[in-house]
Amino acid sequence: MEETKLKELLDSLSWPEKIGQLVQLSGDFFHADQLAVGPQKKLGIDQKIVDQVGSVLNVTGAEKTREIQDRYLKKSRHKIPLLFMADIIYGYRTIFPIPLGLGATWNPALIEEAYEQTAEESKAAGAHVTFAPMVDLVRDARWGRSLESTGEDPVLNSAFAKAMVTGLQKDLLNGGGIASCVKHFAAYGAAEGGREYNTVDMSERRLRQDYLPSYKAAVDAGCQLVMTSFNTYDGMPVTGSKFLLEDILRKEWGFDGVIISDYAAIQELIAHGVATDDREATKLAIEATTDIDMKTPCYAKELEPLIEDGEISTELVDRSVYRVLKLKNDLGLFEDPYRGASQEQEECVFLTEEKRHLAKKVSSESVVLLQNKRDVLPLTPNQEKVLLVGPYGDNQELIGLWAVHGKREDVVTIKKGFEHYLDSEHLLYTQGCDMLEDYTFLGEFGATKDQIEQLGLTDAMKEQELSQALTLAKQADTVVLALGEHTMQSGEAGSRTDITLPKIQQDFLQKIAELNKKTVLIVISGRPLVLTKEVELVDGIVQAWFPGTEGGNALADIIFGQTNPTGRLSMSFPYSVGQLPMYYSEFKTGRPLTSPTHKGRFVSKYLDSQNDPLFSFGYGLSYSKVMYTDLTLSSEQMHETLKVSVKVKNISKRTTTETVQLYVQDVTGSVVRPVKELKAFQKVALDADEEKTVYFDLTKEELKFYTKNMTFDAEPGAFIVFVGPNVKDTQEKSFTLL
Ligand code: GLC
């Protein structure tokens, strides 16, 4: 409807009707499933308020959303449609790899396509808004939500943030796609100790330099909503932070879309200790311009009294209500409250062959080959006996914790994938060992005692499985172990201080390794695990993340050489959990460790661990070999731009795609500067023996940073350009910025 009409509608609403638009409740209030990820508590909200709310949390499905919409509109005086918002993070029915795997593709264009397909499925299922992308920068693998991030680097994360928002919102204002709600603003991934929901505190310089760019990229790409994060920044919980929400997001960045709190975050201002009760929490949040209250009674009960007492302005609340009405209007909901959702449409677009094909392609590009001793990989189909073993060998639990609308029965297991390459004579399989030694932690997620007891193997089964595995391993030429962390050991509220493989799996691997067969480890995880022991025990290591619906096929294609692995890490793999948080773009310090073999004491290092990660940012192997030569700068002096070129030659007989990475060091600044910062990357297809010259245009804008006076500027002086296949193995050339 016309904007004037929308303003008339706003003015015609009563205060309860206006405030209702700022309240979001979960499905149980609408006689639907209560698919809420968070603490469950009685809200004490009466039906009158429920009948006025503006949006629904995590109810999807064309039939269910249409039925609720119809029921709701019948009762609505002004026929204002409900907004259906859901967690559709990396796929709706076709599930792609977790975002930490998507980050490892270094292929934003491909991920944009994946998110466009996700939007098509989600729209058919009645979702109007998705709480994605999650673009929190993460540098601590203890944090369970590493799973949802594309990694530790602001440039790479920003490229994916833009791609995901663009893919989700394609043709949005013409009825296409679904609205994107970027989250969690801001810096949620910097929780101290990697402990979920913990304090975040850092300099404004680091916040702006490293943590804000990916949210800014999402806002610049036109995301319609922003979700506030649970954490504090500089002593204030973000949901009540005027500095972050009003000063930076709205005024500095010009975002005038809807800000929604994270789950119960407004009422949690009391637990944080910045509000004594719901009334104070409400005042803090609405004055910070948080528009929608997700799943608490605060706005529903406290906004009207605050207005009546003159403690908050009517204009403030009207502005929030108008943003919500505008979003509904921009999505065309007043004309079509279902936005085209129908069961027929669902059948048309869900899990099509094309989507499965795309999911397999994305999954293939997300897999990172971390080790390949003795060139154990690729295996040759039907040439040798292969034992597939481990709790993930024939397990459909490959879609990760946040694939809340995906179906495990759609998933292709690793064993299923192997069966495309090995006949029954060459493929041996047994589970071999249990996933975990103890499942009681699942009780926190609602699993009953009985359910927990049903999980896992009995002692007798464990014995039998081990003996069977060792017997089959002796018959096999190669043993492929599919091991990893339990899906509930990562994701939200999944922080861990021990991020090695589950002990029961480590012991099993040790027993297999003692047979001295060729061994390949496939790692299923939602985070970088500490694989320091495993690198000594196996020949090949394939990092598969939670690879999604087509994970088994993608992994089989790589293991048997149909696909050349091209994934590159977007997050460092620590040598020890004690190094965390860790990231490649660290500062030099006054006593840098200049050589890993340094013998002196008084330098920045540990007594009991190396400084370097086990596997670096940008690292990954392929079945081919690419040589870098002739790094060339267009000049040794730079004004506005500098052309950088490098030759890359595929010296193998296999086609490959190389991710050429360009880093820069600002040698001296008015404040300390990182040893390296990613500035650009290109994926380059190379046939066997093919050589190409790759060109980059480095700009002065890319050299800007927050200087000593907090101006965003580039300072003249010495710089070094590094180019290579990862952050460590680089060639370098110096130049001067004038
Ligand atoms: C959860 C998560 C957030 C999610 C929201 C709604 O607690 O923090 O990412 O979108 O609640 O489910």
Side-chain angles (χ1 to χ4, degrees), residues 41 185 197 228-233 235-242 244-245 260-299 302 306:
K41 57 192 289 192
F185 187 78
Y197 313 127
T228 67
S229 55
F230 291 120
N231 55 282
T232 54
Y233 171 72
M236 175 54 76
V238 173
T239 305
S241 167
K242 283 187 136 190
L244 277 168
L245 301 184
I260 183 170
S261 77
D262 200 342
Y263 188 103
I266 291 178
Q267 197 168 47
E268 286 173 5
L269 295 172
I270 301 168
H272 272 292
V274 291
T276 54
D277 56 23
D278 287 357
R279 183 181 172 100
E280 280 190 13
T282 299
K283 189 169 188 307
L284 257 180
I286 196 74
E287 287 184 339
T289 74
T290 297
D291 298 313
I292 295 181
D293 174 3
M294 185 192 291
K295 195 80 192 294
T296 92
C298 289
Y299 279 17
E302 302 299 343
L306 282 165

Side-chain angles (χ1 to χ4, degrees), residues 671-682:
V671 290
V672 293
R673 306 287 293 120
V675 293
K676 284 181 180 172
E677 291 177 290
L678 178 72
K679 293 300 177 187
F681 57 93
Q682 288 183 40

Side-chain angles (χ1 to χ4, degrees), residues 382-393:
N382 285 334
Q383 188 177 56
E384 51 189 26
K385 275 192 193 302
V386 175
L387 167 64
L388 173 62
V389 75
Y392 276 110

Side-chain angles (χ1 to χ4, degrees), residues 348-390:
C348 241
V349 303
F350 278 5
L351 210 58
T352 59
E353 271 320 297
E354 297 74 24
K355 286 191 176 73
R356 275 194 178 270
H357 180 75
L358 178 62
K360 187 172 92 167
K361 178 173 171 49
V362 174
S363 188
S364 300
E365 291 200 23
S366 73
V367 170
V368 184
L369 178 59
L370 294 177
Q371 183 170 285
N372 195 16
K373 287 178 184 168
R374 301 195 273 176
D375 287 335
V376 65
L377 290 173
L379 304 183
T380 307
N382 285 334
Q383 188 177 56
E384 51 189 26
K385 275 192 193 302
V386 175
L387 167 64
L388 173 62
V389 75

Side-chain angles (χ1 to χ4, degrees), residues 90 131 222 299 384 392 450 453 474 610 687 696:
Y90 47 94
F131 298 128
Y299 279 17
E384 51 189 26
Y392 276 110
D450 289 352
E453 273 156 20
K474 287 170 190 148
Q610 64 187 48
D687 287 337
F696 294 95

Side-chain angles (χ1 to χ4, degrees), residues 48 144 214 236-237 279 330 407 423 446 474 594-595 625 642:
K48 197 163 128 320
S214 52
M236 175 54 76
R279 183 181 172 100
D330 289 348
K407 295 186 185 307
D423 57 29
K474 287 170 190 148
T594 48
S595 139
K625 187 104 184 75
L642 188 74

